[in-house]
Amino acid sequence: MNTNTKLTFHLQPGGSLNGAMRVPGDKSISHRSIMLGSLAEGVTEVQGFLEGEDSLATLKAFRAMGVEIEGPQQGRVVIHGVGLHGLKVPDAPLDLGNSGTSMRLMAGLMAGQSFDVEMHGDASLTKRPMKRVTEPLTLMGAKVDTAEGGTPPLKVHGGQALHGIDYQMPVASAQVKSCLLLAGLYADSPTCVTEPAPTRDHTERMLHGFGYPVKVDGATACVEPGGKLSATTIDVPADISSATFFMIGAAIAEGSDVTLEHVGINPTRIGVINILRLMGADLSVTNEREVGGEPVADIRVRSRKLKGIRIPEAQVPLAIDEFPALFVAAACAEGETRLTGAEELRVKESDRIQVMADGLQTLGVEAKPTADGIVIQGGPLGGGTVESHGDHRIAMSFAMAALRASAPITINDCANVNTSFPGFVELAAGAGLKISQTE
Ligand code: S3P
């Protein structure tokens, strides 16, 4: 589907969510499966791949660089790896759509190639900061051009000798960490990245799964050059970031009882569980198991009155993509919820602090944006028309808000829900959300 199509969500107020369901595959892991599978030696088989536009953008980019990739067909992808030095120069610039993960991680990989590559994206991606990756890559000896202001498009010049660095990341970003570790595969000495707070570690885990050693010591992860990736099989768990909408919908809507199956509960991703529990949610994690190096479980949420909290800053990187939905939970909670230390939310697919504050205010909620967070007073939700600004997570969060609204909610610009959650409308409607869409 074309993300430029204007798509509008229409929600009738009220209802509850019920049933057991599996949401689509984890976006972060899906991206990495294509990247590492392409650079491995041998054939990698992926199950549970997210067939959303973001991970498909990565898949198409590697196909454009000569990698034979079968599928996706019902989440199955077969990647015929070309080895670390087997990529071919693409015929045209790589179009990465809405996907910041594709662009930032690939900037590191492309820096190690022998050819030049141009990468561009849609209007949202074109506004997002890339200096956070181009500056440390430059320290490694890479040559990367950006637009004025350090935004895309990126032109990565190939054929540069890369040197390992010991880098202290100024922001807690898994994308920056991953970019540098991937560039480090092509450097002539070890590359170490130290993070100011724990961020998702899927790259480290997956490198390990492909037989490439990564040394992790506290906040520092290091790779040494000279290794190789050996093809493997990958079972992508359901995305906790997508499960979040149903967890929060069930928490706020009286009479709800939802079980999300086979959800990835990597400790670097479970901020939403921790925060919902602090708010008093009735949430249980069962059937914990490990699947291909990633912990997985079923998550059951039943409705219960929530209370406003001060969100611990240590949880911020662990719930970074879940805040739009958590703000809806805060609006439905009793008392005040205060978030600080989350300025990163301003440079996601939209300015998620401002856009959520605007939408909540439209619904009659007292929501005050601050430089690095928001203060939300729980209270009754009305209806109205809110703007998602083409941000998938904003659109799905306001859809769930309708469960507690007193009047219909219209959400504009929702086509990008397809970047991370194809089938959201159908799955949500099946669970009890009163949702329809028009083009
Ligand atoms: C991602 C890391 C996060 C997250 C993004 C996916 C990843 O970004 O917001 O949706 O796959 O590494 P940052 O690492 O920049 O916070």
Side-chain angles (χ1 to χ4, degrees):
M1 121 161 244
N2 176 359
T3 39
N4 295 325
T5 317
K6 290 283 174 211
L7 193 75
T8 305
F9 284 175
H10 305 274
L11 283 302
Q12 291 301 317
S16 59
L17 298 183
N18 285 282
M21 64 207 75
R22 180 168 172 164
V23 300
D26 188 277
K27 185 151 75 73
S28 295
I29 298 176
S30 295
H31 281 298
R32 288 158 172 82
S33 72
I34 297 292
M35 294 179 193
L36 299 190
S38 294
L39 297 171
E41 294 175 20
V43 178
T44 289
E45 192 179 323
V46 184
Q47 302 281 357
F49 181 78
L50 169 66
E51 297 183 36
E53 286 168 4
D54 275 12
S55 37
L56 289 173
T58 294
L59 186 153
K60 285 179 196 149
F62 279 86
R63 257 190 202 143
M65 291 188 284
V67 183
E68 189 191 334
I69 305 178
E70 299 168 50
Q73 214 175 22
Q74 289 168 331
R76 182 169 179 268
V77 177
V78 178
I79 308 160
H80 297 260
V82 295
L84 276 169
H85 301 281
L87 295 178
K88 300 213 167 65
V89 56
D91 291 339
L94 302 176
D95 179 3
L96 302 174
N98 194 242
S99 179
T101 308
S102 308
M103 189 169 286
R104 295 206 181 106
L105 269 59
M106 287 178 64
L109 281 178
M110 295 301 108
Q113 307 305 314
S114 58
F115 49 85
D116 294 358
V117 175
E118 267 181 64
M119 299 190 285
H120 62 83
D122 69 5
S124 156
L125 182 52
T126 301
K127 286 194 213 130
R128 296 184 66 187
M130 291 296 148
K131 272 194 192 154
R132 55 181 61 198
V133 290
T134 60
E135 281 180 356
L137 284 174
T138 304
L139 295 176
M140 293 179 78
K143 203 163 168 271
V144 188
D145 306 331
T146 64
E148 224 174 285
T151 52
L154 298 187
K155 180 162 183 180
V156 187
H157 297 266
Q160 313 294 313
L162 298 187
H163 317 295
I165 51 169
D166 194 343
Y167 189 65
Q168 308 275 335
M169 287 198 297
V171 280
S173 166
Q175 294 182 348
V176 176
K177 173 176 63 175
S178 303
C179 165
L180 300 180
L181 292 176
L182 294 174
L185 304 181
Y186 294 92
D188 57 12
S189 55
T191 298
C192 293
V193 189
T194 302
E195 51 190 11
T199 68
R200 65 192 68 190
D201 63 356
H202 305 301
T203 302
E204 297 91 302
R205 285 175 188 251
M206 201 182 284
L207 278 169
H208 182 77
F210 276 90
Y212 202 106
V214 184
K215 237 189 270 152
V216 180
D217 184 6
T220 304
C222 300
V223 289
E224 290 197 17
K228 67 170 187 148
L229 299 166
S230 306
T232 185
T233 55
I234 296 171
D235 183 345
V236 182
D239 197 327
I240 192 168
S241 299
S242 297
T244 287
F245 303 106
F246 290 84
M247 287 159 60
I248 281 170
I252 63 174
E254 209 182 327
S256 297
D257 184 353
V258 157
T259 300
L260 284 314
E261 296 168 340
H262 205 78
V263 182
I265 53 156
N266 180 311
T268 60
R269 297 285 300 278
I270 57 168
V272 63
I273 294 178
N274 301 334
I275 293 168
L276 277 176
R277 281 189 167 146
L278 289 173
M279 295 178 83
D282 179 356
L283 186 153
S284 58
V285 177
T286 57
N287 199 12
E288 283 187 51
R289 57 219 182 262
E290 184 152 317
V291 177
E294 290 279 351
V296 167
D298 299 333
I299 301 174
R300 181 176 184 188
V301 181
R302 283 172 281 192
S303 50
R304 188 196 275 169
K305 233 187 176 113
L306 301 179
K307 58 176 193 292
I309 59 163
R310 201 187 162 93
I311 297 174
E313 287 195 5
Q315 295 298 321
V316 169
L318 312 182
I320 194 68
D321 292 336
E322 285 62 80
F323 283 108
L326 283 165
F327 295 169
V328 170
C332 297
E334 201 175 283
E336 180 181 286
T337 295
R338 185 177 285 266
L339 173 68
T340 53
E343 52 276 273
E344 272 296 296
L345 293 180
R346 292 203 176 269
V347 290
K348 293 294 180 187
E349 286 84 327
S350 69
D351 175 345
R352 288 181 172 163
I353 291 175
Q354 192 60 48
V355 171
M356 283 304 299
D358 291 346
L360 287 171
Q361 286 165 13
T362 299
L363 302 182
V365 176
E366 216 180 293
K368 193 169 156 284
T370 63
D372 67 341
I374 196 164
V375 183
I376 297 171
Q377 296 292 340
L381 268 66
T385 299
V386 298
E387 302 298 331
S388 78
H389 291 270
D391 185 329
H392 53 141
R393 301 201 195 281
I394 303 281
M396 291 184 273
S397 299
F398 280 118
M400 290 299 168
L403 291 159
R404 280 283 289 272
S406 58
I409 296 178
T410 301
I411 309 165
N412 286 329
D413 209 357
C414 297
N416 278 342
V417 164
N418 254 357
T419 60
S420 67
F421 202 148
F424 169 75
V425 168
E426 295 74 11
L427 197 65
L433 191 69
K434 298 174 190 172
I435 185 168
S436 60
Q437 55 184 344
T438 54
E439 274 181 27

